Amino acid sequence: MSENRSGGSAPTVLRIVLGKRLRQLRQQAGMTFDEAAQAIDVTALTVRRIEKAEVGLRIPYVRELLRTYGVPAAEIEDFLAMAREANQPGWWYNYRDVLPDWFRAYVSLESEATLIRLYEPHYIPGLLQTRDYATALFRVGFPTESKEEIARRVDLRLRRQDLLTKPDAPTIWAILDETVLRRPVGGVEVMRAQIDRVAEILETTRVRIQIMPLSVGTHPGAFGPFHQFRFGFSELPDVIYTESLTGATYIERPEDVVTYLEVMDRMSVQAEPVGKTRKILDELRKEL
């Protein structure tokens, strides 16, 4: 996965992992790109692109590479089963008409993460939004789109929330700026329902929510929202996600990731403890 992505087809997490495993196997076999390429009668560039998950995993190529690298037959079949799975389009493929290319990688990361930590200074995170709240946001963000197009975007956002009820749901740790809960979106009734939804989410054992009070003043994350993804694959390091109006940045370089994680840790100390979140929500709800 490249650090900057503003377009192009996004690989699935599993394809990235398998590409990294193929690279490790090639290196363990002591083979160069050219030598591996000769085994499957392609160019060295093709092997590079397979390892970087820039192309699909063609099963005949993968099988021959694994044989060339000396992988046992039983392990080859297991690898090929994962390769076939990696080649299948994600559930979000059906929403490709309203899903920007640069955000497809995000949905893939979100779907496979074991831990998602995030800071949001502007709006309720998508995984926690109600239909009416999401609709109000999209109407502002896409003022020229039809009701049907807006509804498709909202449906995609709500479909992502299925993640919260999966048996292997990730741990989600969100820090929300108090401004998020005070900024009126869609009117009073919409905000009441949205705060009720956030309170309901607190009953989900794998979701933790902290509120960053305005009284804190400046803090290290005030530059903007960012998300951290952690995975159950040793081949895939933590990924930091940030976005702009027209694209996104996916950060993997360890020294950069560490900087974001240190900021997140400092913010979690400054924010109100998780145990106080429900009380804060109740007080805000009464104000509405």
Side-chain angles (χ1 to χ4, degrees), residues 61-265:
Y61 286 177
V62 174
R63 178 184 284 110
E64 190 57 35
L65 285 174
L66 293 173
R67 288 173 178 168
T68 302
Y69 301 155
V71 177
E75 294 181 22
I76 288 178
E77 291 309 311
D78 290 342
F79 195 107
L80 293 179
M82 289 189 291
R84 293 186 182 96
E85 180 182 349
N87 284 336
Q88 296 300 312
W91 63 262
W92 52 90
Y93 180 78
N94 291 331
Y95 293 92
R96 61 192 180 279
D97 56 319
V98 292
L99 184 62
D101 285 346
W102 54 266
F103 195 66
R104 292 178 188 177
Y106 180 97
V107 180
S108 178
L109 295 173
E110 181 180 74
S111 298
E112 296 294 338
T114 58
L115 170 67
I116 302 172
R117 293 180 72 185
L118 62 95
Y119 168 62
E120 178 53 65
H122 302 307
Y123 301 106
I124 299 293
L127 287 177
L128 312 182
Q129 292 177 9
T130 65
R131 176 175 293 276
D132 288 341
Y133 186 96
T135 299
L137 288 180
F138 281 128
R139 283 175 178 164
V140 173
F142 300 91
T144 63
E145 288 196 350
S146 67
K147 290 183 179 179
E148 291 74 20
E149 290 170 318
I150 294 296
R152 286 280 292 165
R153 293 185 184 276
V154 173
D155 287 345
L156 168 61
R157 180 155 294 180
L158 297 184
R159 175 69 188 279
R160 286 169 49 207
Q161 296 178 8
D162 291 347
L163 181 71
L164 301 178
T165 56
K166 289 171 51 180
D168 58 344
T171 297
I172 297 175
W173 183 358
I175 299 178
L176 308 183
D177 197 278
E178 183 180 342
T179 307
V180 170
L181 301 171
R182 292 190 176 277
R183 176 174 286 111
V185 174
V188 173
E189 291 303 320
V190 171
M191 286 304 300
R192 284 175 179 162
Q194 181 60 74
I195 290 178
D196 288 344
R197 171 59 176 160
V198 175
E200 177 187 340
I201 289 291
L202 289 177
E203 305 303 320
T204 304
T205 57
R206 291 178 179 165
V207 176
R208 304 176 63 189
I209 300 173
Q210 290 183 266
I211 307 301
M212 181 69 75
L214 293 173
S215 59
V216 168
T218 58
H219 57 79
F223 57 87
F226 63 95
H227 297 189
Q228 171 207 357
F229 297 98
R230 181 165 291 171
F231 308 92
F233 303 103
S234 60
E235 296 88 352
L236 196 60
D238 286 2
V239 176
I240 300 295
Y241 167 89
T242 65
E243 69 177 44
S244 64
L245 285 175
T246 57
T249 300
Y250 297 85
I251 301 169
E252 294 181 75
R253 195 164 57 186
E255 55 268 37
D256 293 336
V257 170
V258 166
T259 298
Y260 279 90
L261 298 188
E262 289 176 348
V263 166
M264 186 71 82
D265 287 341

Side-chain angles (χ1 to χ4, degrees), residues 18-29:
L18 295 182
K20 290 178 180 290
R21 289 184 183 177
L22 285 171
R23 180 182 63 190
Q24 292 171 352
L25 289 168
R26 176 181 56 78
Q27 292 173 339
Q28 290 171 4

